[in-house]
Amino acid sequence: IVPESLEYLVKRKQEMKEVDKVRAEAIKWVLVASFGYLGYRNSRFGKIEAYELVTYLARKTMRIAIREAQEMGFEVIHGLIDSLVVRGDSSRIYSLVENIERKTKIGLKVDTEFDWICFTSSRKGESYPQRYFGRTPSGNLKVRGVIRKNQPKLVRDFLTDILNVASREANSHDAKRVVRESLPQITEEYLRRAYFGDPSDYVMEIKGIPYIKGKRLYKAWRYAGHDPLYYENFVKRAALELKGWFS
């Protein structure tokens, strides 16, 4: 009953992607909520066995995709829920997609090709699989989850500047080198801005509301001072993370 109920929405989301991305995104979240309610104990239509079966089929599908990629000579870098990142001969990628589609009966697409990609980790070495950045062949940088609205603008600008430095290099070895060379000087610049920046540098969004950290956290409708040590430490933490990512 679950596939029968959701099949229309899955097809409709694909149709809407071409004409109305906002509606496609809305349907996506209906589908996400539908999956969540399967395992919600107070849901009238929930059934934990159905929820477990969905996750079982997802894991099975991922295992098939990984095995197929490895058998074709690709190195699997990362896999998460609905995506797989592989390294290898790009001329064979569409053959890989066709083979996986044939064996899993699930439609796939090639989303992005990267010259290099970095999946980030915390200072404790724990991975953040949904936070990554990579350089595309056009020289642009694709960034997910690394630069966030709940960070002060000062820190968002700092991360953007460093990643822009990295994006100039077409291979990961050169990207690491130029970032390590540039990081101390750029960090010093932003440490000064932690004390003497523009008031907008200190604004961060929490649940859509702009705040500034002064003696206390206050809504940033007008500037009433900031705590420079707080922002200095924020920049230092970001610099330490960057150093680890590009080490």
Side-chain angles (χ1 to χ4, degrees):
I1 193 172
V2 174
E4 290 177 5
S5 301
L6 299 182
E7 184 179 14
Y8 169 76
L9 286 175
V10 172
K11 290 180 178 178
R12 187 65 173 162
K13 179 170 77 77
Q14 288 301 117
E15 294 168 355
M16 286 294 103
K17 275 186 175 181
E18 305 299 323
V19 295
D20 192 333
K21 291 184 178 180
V22 173
R23 289 172 68 184
E25 185 73 6
I27 296 171
K28 168 192 169 181
W29 285 108
V30 171
L31 290 166
V32 170
S34 299
F35 170 63
Y37 267 94
L38 276 179
Y40 178 47
R41 67 174 180 236
N42 293 328
S43 170
R44 181 171 295 180
F45 304 104
K47 187 172 181 63
I48 191 63
E49 291 84 1
Y51 183 89
E52 291 172 339
L53 183 59
V54 171
T55 57
Y56 160 75
L57 291 170
R59 292 194 303 272
K60 180 180 178 181
T61 302
M62 183 63 76
R63 284 196 299 270
I64 293 171
I66 289 172
R67 185 169 59 248
E68 190 64 30
Q70 291 171 337
E71 288 178 354
M72 289 186 64
F74 288 92
E75 179 186 357
V76 176
I77 304 296
H78 175 64
L80 179 68
I81 303 173
D82 62 352
S83 62
L84 194 67
V85 181
V86 299
R87 176 163 55 193
D89 183 358
S90 60
S91 67
R92 303 187 67 202
I93 192 67
Y94 289 98
S95 297
L96 173 62
V97 167
E98 290 174 4
N99 289 347
I100 295 174
E101 285 181 333
R102 185 176 65 255
K103 292 189 176 182
T104 64
K105 310 302 181 187
I106 292 177
L108 302 176
K109 68 173 183 177
V110 177
D111 186 74
T112 309
E113 183 179 341
F114 293 97
D115 291 327
W116 53 261
I117 189 169
C118 173
F119 290 97
T120 67
S121 60
S122 69
R123 283 171 289 171
K124 295 180 180 179
E126 299 166 344
S127 63
Y128 286 130
Q130 291 172 301
R131 295 183 188 177
Y132 66 88
F133 55 88
R135 184 189 192 270
T136 66
S138 63
N140 295 323
L141 207 65
K142 184 172 182 177
V143 184
R144 291 289 182 273
V146 175
I147 301 172
R148 305 180 299 280
K149 289 184 178 181
N150 64 354
Q151 297 165 328
K153 180 178 178 296
L154 175 77
V155 174
R156 298 200 304 272
D157 288 352
F158 176 49
L159 292 169
T160 299
D161 280 355
I162 293 294
L163 295 181
N164 283 340
V165 168
S167 71
R168 298 169 193 157
E169 306 300 328
N171 67 74
S172 59
H173 297 293
D174 288 340
K176 290 178 181 180
R177 175 182 52 79
V178 297
V179 167
R180 288 196 299 264
E181 292 172 353
S182 305
L183 186 58
Q185 180 181 349
I186 297 176
T187 301
E188 284 301 316
E189 174 190 338
Y190 278 90
L191 289 175
R192 286 193 295 272
R193 278 176 61 176
Y195 285 81
F196 308 112
D198 186 271
S200 64
D201 284 339
Y202 312 119
V203 177
M204 64 193 102
E205 282 191 23
I206 301 174
K207 295 183 178 179
I209 300 173
Y211 286 90
I212 293 177
K213 177 67 170 70
K215 292 182 179 179
R216 56 179 178 79
L217 196 66
Y218 66 92
K219 293 180 181 178
W221 306 129
R222 63 183 181 85
Y223 179 65
H226 72 284
D227 179 356
L229 286 176
Y230 173 83
Y231 292 94
E232 178 186 7
N233 288 329
F234 219 130
V235 171
K236 286 180 177 178
R237 290 196 302 272
L240 192 61
E241 281 191 319
L242 285 163
K243 186 177 180 180
W245 299 343
F246 287 95
S247 62

